[in-house]
Amino acid sequence: MITRRGFLRFIGGSVLSVAAFSAYAAGIEPMLLTHVKRYALTPPHWPDGLKLHIVALADIHACRPWMTPERIASLVEDANALQPDVIVLLGDYIAGMPLVTGPVTPSQWASALSDLKAPLGVLSILGNHDWWADGFAQRAGAGPTVARKALEKVGIPVLENDVVRLEKDGHGVWIAGLADQLALLPTRDRAGFTGLDDLDGTLAKVSDTSPIILLAHEPDIFPKVPWRVSLTLSGHTHGGQIRLFGYSPVVPSRFGNRYAYGHVVENDRNLIVSGGLGFSILPVRFGMRPEILSIDLG
């Protein structure tokens, strides 16, 4: 039989365990254990002799106390130190939850990001929260959003259904960026979320046979991405924020864990989904440390 003392010890131990878990998941892992996640691959039909180093930042979700301008500046320093050829930003700069102690304005987070440096430039796309937080854009059903204006003001191009051709060592490479797939919230006139992405129209702007890197905030577009695209880069899922033994209980994707996190290869096509840097819904990470992507191609 369990004694009163044994019962109290059990309760006390349980309370301490919950407190320790909460402290780790809300403070230590998300705030102190940011790391560089490295990938190296040669996609199909990648040109011989082309080596491209990409650094990607996803899901910053600027807010206090979790993602302050000072912390963003520190992440920028870490990204620059990797000496990439090109840096890409995969969307969701705006806070994605109400549990904050204060805002970080678009001018503040954009100013911190303006120090990103790479020989071939810094390119960006927008995420769903960058649209959802913009009431004017929601009512108009179109941009430019406040987030886009903030990025462009500091000299960071935003690709919404657009492409840019880069060149390295005599080889061309296209960076294609999609508009967000969940951009417009449901209203009386709109049943369900409405995306502004145009995959076919975006890829139609590619004018030669150079390889294509596709930036798409949500990974759910991947089944529609043609083999012509060498690599798709996405964020949005945060790896589920809680991930144990390769499984995330909650993933904001209609495909569940299929595109929750990491390097996915399907039908000889490549997708990399970042675990992201910030929070959405709740300020908790467990088994999914914030990460900067470092990707070597070729």
Side-chain angles (χ1 to χ4, degrees):
M1 293 180 62
I2 188 168
T3 65
R4 180 175 180 275
R5 179 176 293 179
F7 178 74
L8 291 175
R9 284 177 177 171
F10 172 77
I11 294 297
S14 298
V15 170
L16 288 174
S17 296
V18 170
F21 171 83
S22 299
Y24 178 84
I28 296 174
E29 182 166 314
M31 301 296 287
L32 301 177
L33 297 182
T34 301
H35 71 128
V36 176
K37 178 66 175 178
R38 300 179 185 273
Y39 295 94
L41 63 149
T42 302
H45 58 85
W46 188 259
D48 293 336
L50 174 57
K51 295 186 181 298
L52 188 69
H53 182 198
I54 302 172
V55 161
L57 306 179
D59 302 292
I60 289 170
H61 289 298
C63 64
R64 299 181 186 277
W66 315 108
M67 189 64 73
T68 63
E70 294 77 19
R71 187 176 177 205
I72 297 171
S74 177
L75 294 169
V76 165
E77 288 183 8
D78 293 340
N80 289 340
L82 295 170
Q83 298 183 311
D85 296 312
V86 61
I87 296 175
V88 297
L89 305 174
L90 300 177
D92 271 4
Y93 315 95
I94 304 293
M97 62 178 182
L99 299 176
V100 302
T101 60
V104 174
T105 66
S107 62
Q108 288 175 319
W109 55 253
S111 178
L113 291 173
S114 70
D115 287 329
L116 289 167
K117 298 290 185 283
L120 299 183
V122 180
L123 299 167
S124 69
I125 58 173
L126 301 182
N128 55 302
H129 285 283
D130 304 320
W131 277 90
W132 294 355
D134 191 322
F136 182 83
Q138 289 295 315
R139 290 188 293 273
T145 61
V146 169
R148 174 167 185 155
K149 292 176 183 176
L151 288 163
E152 291 180 335
K153 187 174 182 179
V154 298
I156 298 176
V158 179
L159 302 179
E160 292 189 281
N161 300 328
D162 209 351
V163 300
V164 171
R165 190 181 189 276
L166 308 177
E167 188 163 319
K168 180 169 186 266
D169 299 332
H171 295 277
V173 60
W174 293 89
I175 307 295
L178 285 187
D180 191 69
Q181 300 159 56
L182 301 170
L184 302 179
L185 291 162
T187 67
R188 287 180 296 178
D189 301 320
R190 291 193 297 261
F193 295 95
T194 301
L196 298 177
D197 55 301
D198 181 1
L199 179 62
D200 292 339
T202 301
L203 298 181
K205 297 179 181 181
V206 173
S207 59
D208 63 28
T209 60
S210 299
I212 303 168
I213 309 298
L214 177 67
L215 313 181
H217 179 68
E218 294 90 356
D220 287 17
I221 194 71
F222 187 58
K224 299 178 182 178
V225 175
W227 184 79
R228 169 78 174 87
V229 174
S230 296
L231 174 65
T232 301
L233 297 178
S234 295
H236 182 64
T237 65
H238 304 191
Q241 288 188 194
I242 296 176
R243 189 167 178 86
L244 299 172
F245 308 109
Y247 176 80
S248 302
V250 178
V251 182
S253 165
R254 68 177 183 273
F255 294 101
N257 272 263
R258 181 175 168 183
Y259 304 135
Y261 175 68
H263 185 194
V264 178
V265 180
E266 290 184 355
N267 301 320
D268 227 12
R269 298 168 307 122
N270 287 266
L271 165 71
I272 294 177
V273 182
S274 171
L277 291 159
F279 298 115
S280 184
I281 310 301
L282 290 173
V284 172
R285 279 182 178 265
F286 188 81
M288 182 46 57
R289 295 161 60 189
E291 65 183 31
I292 297 172
L293 292 186
S294 175
I295 305 164
D296 285 297
L297 298 177

